[in-house]
């Protein structure tokens, strides 16, 4: 975050502190409306951010809505890259099934949801809950080769971990 107050509010929100919402209210970041309209508004704002080259996340009040938004984001990515209808003439990418029921392929962003010290990324680091990764290769056996969004380290996630502990991000 470029604004330290926003960074602090984000951490407080993650920790479930109710006073965190004050930052978002004070900075016109909270909207009121019905779920369908707000879901569309969140998705539209996210696509505008992504199209402008900004990193952006969508927040939702339920896991089901998170899964729906992630599915929409993936469909949008595939449609805009030509894969949805195989417009590029290339073979459709290998897609694997994730723990949230969504599919993912090379180019998607994922989040790991379980700490696993056996999946080492360095001598003193491993795959952790909340890590964000870009998929570089989806393999037909259900495993993924991924690159960490922050430290850029690359690791192979086995299919058993993918189906149990990986969600679209």
């Amino acid at each position: 975050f470029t604004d330290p107050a926003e960074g602090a509010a984000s951490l407080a929100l993650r920790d479930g502190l109710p006073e965190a919402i004050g930052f978002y209210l004070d900075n016109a970041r909270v909207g009121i409306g019905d779920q369908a309209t707000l879901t569309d508004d969140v998705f539209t704002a996210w696509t505008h951010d992504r199209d402008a080259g900004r990193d952006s996340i969508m927040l939702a009040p339920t896991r089901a809505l998170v899964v729906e938004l992630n599915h929409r984001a993936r469909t949008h990515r595939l449609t805009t890259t030509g894969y949805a209808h195989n417009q590029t003439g290339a073979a459709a990418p290998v897609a694997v099934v994730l723990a949230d029921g969504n599919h993912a392929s090379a180019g998607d962003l994922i989040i790991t949801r379980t700490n696993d010290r056996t999946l080492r990324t360095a001598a003193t680091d491993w795959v952790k809950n909340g890590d964000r990764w870009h998929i570089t290769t989806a393999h037909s056996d259900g495993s993924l080769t991924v690159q960490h969004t922050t430290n850029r380290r690359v690791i192979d996630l086995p299919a058993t971990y993918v189906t149990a502990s990986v969600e679209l991000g």
Side-chain angles (χ1 to χ4, degrees):
F1 296 101
T2 57
D3 178 358
E6 185 170 8
S10 172
L11 293 174
L13 188 65
R14 183 186 69 190
D15 291 339
L17 301 175
E19 59 271 17
I21 199 71
F23 172 86
Y24 299 100
L25 290 169
D26 292 346
N27 290 280
R29 301 274 183 89
V30 176
I32 307 294
D34 66 275
Q35 182 169 315
T37 301
L38 288 174
T39 301
D40 287 343
D41 289 349
V42 164
F43 183 75
T44 299
W46 177 85
T47 58
H48 288 285
D49 282 349
R50 300 293 291 177
D51 291 346
R54 292 188 289 267
D55 194 16
S56 183
I57 68 168
M58 297 180 281
L59 300 175
T62 66
R63 288 178 116 9
L65 194 51
V66 168
V67 170
E68 175 190 330
L69 285 167
N70 283 333
H71 178 76
R72 287 178 69 178
R74 180 171 193 274
T75 299
H76 173 75
R77 182 185 72 80
L78 292 175
T79 301
T80 58
T81 60
Y83 280 115
H85 302 290
N86 205 13
Q87 298 166 350
T88 63
V94 171
V96 301
V97 178
L98 305 178
D100 62 3
N102 276 309
H103 291 80
S105 55
D108 282 325
L109 182 68
I110 58 166
I111 297 177
T112 49
R113 292 297 186 193
T114 304
N115 295 338
D116 190 329
R117 290 178 183 262
T118 66
L119 298 174
R120 310 290 295 177
T121 59
T124 59
D125 201 10
W126 56 89
V127 172
K128 292 182 276 316
N129 176 29
D131 281 349
R132 294 174 70 209
W133 309 82
H134 286 285
I135 300 174
T136 59
T137 309
H139 304 280
S140 58
D141 66 356
S143 64
L144 296 171
T145 301
V146 297
Q147 183 176 39
H148 198 279
T149 58
T150 304
N151 64 31
R152 315 308 279 169
R153 292 190 179 117
V154 175
I155 188 168
D156 289 320
L157 299 176
T160 53
Y161 183 87
V162 170
T163 57
S165 299
V166 173
E167 299 173 358
L168 279 176

